Amino acid sequence: EQLIWVDKAVVSTQSTGEHIIKAIEAIGKKHKEHIESYDPTGGADNKRRLTGLHETASIEKFNYGVAHRGASIRIPRQVAADGHGYFEDRRPSSNADPYSITNRIIKTICSLEE
């Protein structure tokens, strides 16, 4: 498993945390596209790993939560308390290209695609 942390410089320096949630919800709308980008086999490896068991998210369903290790995206407890910080996308496979993952996230949260 490769954790991708999206830093506050990208998402928000606001005290409300609303930008973090907005970014996460945008990623949720593109769940399938992200799953395909997060695995060099187009999702085949992640299909075996992302079962929803053993602290993994389900490949079929996008979810997020504070300190939720079984979520697609985890918001650390301190980030939720502070209202700013980073979040962890827990779906990328360990052999995924970090540049492709970052490209996919930035395209989505910065609205660079239709």
Side-chain angles (χ1 to χ4, degrees), residues 6-81:
V6 180
D7 190 88
K8 65 184 176 187
V10 175
V11 181
S12 174
T13 56
Q14 306 270 331
S15 62
T16 63
E18 68 188 47
H19 289 89
I20 291 173
I21 301 302
K22 185 177 175 183
I24 292 170
E25 289 176 349
I27 290 170
K29 291 177 185 172
K30 298 280 187 176
H31 177 66
K32 183 179 180 204
E33 293 89 340
H34 282 254
I35 288 295
E36 290 171 359
S37 298
Y38 290 1
D39 180 344
T41 62
D45 288 342
N46 268 346
K47 192 169 192 170
R48 288 192 305 266
R49 185 178 67 82
L50 296 176
T51 62
L53 303 171
H54 313 294
E55 295 186 340
T56 65
S58 169
I59 196 166
E60 303 298 327
K61 179 182 150 199
F62 177 84
N63 64 342
Y64 65 92
V66 175
H68 185 338
R69 293 182 59 157
S72 305
I73 293 183
R74 178 183 171 273
I75 302 167
R77 196 176 310 279
Q78 190 62 48
V79 171

Side-chain angles (χ1 to χ4, degrees), residues 87-98:
F87 58 83
E88 303 169 5
D89 193 334
R90 300 176 57 85
R91 299 169 297 161
S93 63
S94 61
N95 60 342
D97 177 8

